Amino acid sequence: MAKKRPQTKPGKAGKAEQAQVTSGEIPVVGAREPCPCGSGRRYKACHGRAAAHAVTEHVQRPFEGLPGECDWVALRELVPAATVPLTLKGGLPEGVPSVTLATVLPMAWPALRRDDGSVLLALQNDSSSGDLARDLADTLERALVAEPGTPVAPRRVPAEGPRLQDLLDADSDFTPVVHTGFEFWIPESSDNSNPEVAASLERANAAAIPTVKLTSVDSSYWCETPDKNHLRWVMPHPEEKLLDALARLQAAGTSSLGPDTRLVGSFRAHGLMVPVWDLPTSMTAEDCEKPAAEFAERLAAALAADTPLTVEERRARGGLTNRQVTLS
């Protein structure tokens, strides 16, 4: 049986140091490291307790209030390769020609400051706290001051700090560009001499599912898989109201997107619902444009209905609820 390690008590110098360090100034360190406050205890048993409590408070809709919330969710959970230019409040810092959101980056880097000073911010990395918007804001702030030509390393995000909503211009446009592969990782002027990046690019391209963003409706993405194609549509409506509307359409036999298509269920991701349709392999993204626009009109009418659900509609709603999968 291991002996208990006696806790070190700070001496006079330690007490003086402790008196000079306030809780707001104590940096985040590893859970088993000595607490920076000078108490002699491990961080997790000292000021790490408050930090641990803070990071467990889950923010259900981390992208709420940002332009294009539904597309933020889609790029986080559904789209393999995409980029979006970001607009910062107050403009770009000196030496940073652009900031671009990307679904993923080589070697799972959280962000990259390119040789020309531009910044790529990755969206699909792991979150170290319960607030993805705070994690991404922390990474973005570090990327803006990183040395050109260097990636930004992951770290445990402090409990207090800005969120994306504090850094990005709320009135800016958010229009994703979906790519067929990840060649956007490498600037055209680059000679692609990094073998690790080249290998990562090859693996990512091999795993990417062909995906296309529809133009007739918002935040709707067609994708191709070996057995069947799918349409996945991130919707901003409150979940209970949307389930009622979809149930009305399902019971009326008007929830499909045409012959051999079927509304099969939905995802729940970052506080929003994502209905999913199965499509035949012959149905392309272009083929979905008109049926999706027509469905949007039927959905709007169903959302406006305020009569109680019928027995058939309640049964349809139960089926949709049973086929709902939570992604985050």
Side-chain angles (χ1 to χ4, degrees):
M1 183 174 178
K3 295 181 180 179
K4 292 184 178 179
R5 179 181 296 178
Q7 293 187 351
T8 304
K9 296 182 180 180
K12 294 181 179 180
K15 290 180 179 179
E17 180 183 358
Q18 185 175 2
Q20 295 173 1
V21 179
T22 66
S23 295
E25 297 171 340
I26 295 171
V28 176
V29 297
R32 300 177 66 84
E33 295 180 32
C35 187
C37 75
S39 66
R41 291 180 292 172
R42 290 178 179 174
Y43 179 68
K44 69 176 183 180
C46 193
H47 283 86
R49 289 178 176 176
H53 174 70
V55 299
T56 59
E57 295 178 358
H58 178 68
V59 176
Q60 185 180 25
R61 289 179 62 180
F63 307 119
E64 186 176 14
L66 290 172
E69 179 187 6
C70 292
D71 285 309
W72 277 91
V73 172
L75 267 57
R76 167 72 183 182
E77 300 294 341
L78 308 174
V79 181
T83 55
V84 188
L86 297 180
T87 303
L88 305 187
K89 288 182 179 179
L92 294 167
E94 184 178 356
V96 180
S98 65
V99 175
T100 302
L101 182 72
T103 45
V104 292
L105 290 175
M107 279 78 78
W109 290 332
L112 171 66
R113 182 89 186 272
R114 281 178 161 165
D115 292 335
D116 66 353
S118 61
V119 168
L120 289 177
L121 175 68
L123 181 57
Q124 294 183 10
N125 284 45
D126 292 337
S127 172
S128 67
S129 77
D131 185 357
L132 185 56
R134 179 165 286 116
D135 291 347
L136 288 166
D138 178 79
T139 302
L140 175 55
E141 285 194 318
R142 290 189 290 132
L144 292 172
V145 297
E147 288 294 324
T150 60
V152 174
R155 75 168 184 176
R156 181 184 298 178
V157 176
E160 299 295 331
R163 308 178 71 237
L164 282 176
Q165 289 81 348
D166 302 316
L167 303 182
L168 301 183
D169 184 352
D171 297 323
S172 61
D173 186 33
F174 190 86
T175 305
V177 176
V178 179
H179 303 277
T180 56
F182 296 88
E183 282 73 19
F184 64 85
W185 286 353
I186 303 171
E188 293 182 2
S189 58
S190 173
D191 61 1
N192 193 20
S193 59
N194 187 324
E196 290 184 327
V197 172
S200 184
L201 174 63
E202 184 177 354
R203 291 192 300 269
N205 281 343
I209 295 174
T211 301
V212 177
K213 187 179 189 300
L214 299 194
T215 59
S216 60
V217 293
D218 293 333
S219 310
S220 183
Y221 292 82
W222 171 95
C223 68
E224 179 184 11
T225 60
D227 297 329
K228 62 186 70 175
N229 298 340
H230 303 280
L231 187 71
R232 301 179 289 191
W233 191 340
V234 186
M235 296 185 174
H237 316 292
E239 181 174 325
E240 295 303 313
K241 191 173 184 63
L242 179 55
L243 280 170
D244 284 351
L246 292 174
R248 294 179 193 276
L249 298 178
Q250 188 89 314
T254 58
S255 64
S256 74
L257 299 176
D260 300 321
T261 70
R262 185 167 67 98
L263 174 64
V264 293
S266 63
F267 299 125
R268 184 191 290 114
H270 304 291
L272 298 181
M273 268 187 64
V274 188
V276 179
W277 285 262
D278 277 354
L279 312 172
T281 54
S282 59
M283 192 170 188
T284 65
E286 185 177 358
D287 295 333
C288 291
E289 296 284 5
K290 183 178 179 181
E294 293 171 345
F295 176 85
E297 294 180 359
R298 298 195 298 272
L299 179 63
L303 286 166
D306 56 4
T307 56
L309 296 181
T310 66
V311 173
E312 291 79 9
E313 290 168 346
R314 289 200 301 271
R315 186 178 298 114
R317 193 185 195 279
L320 290 170
T321 303
N322 290 337
R323 296 192 299 274
Q324 192 173 47
V325 177
T326 300
L327 298 180
S328 57

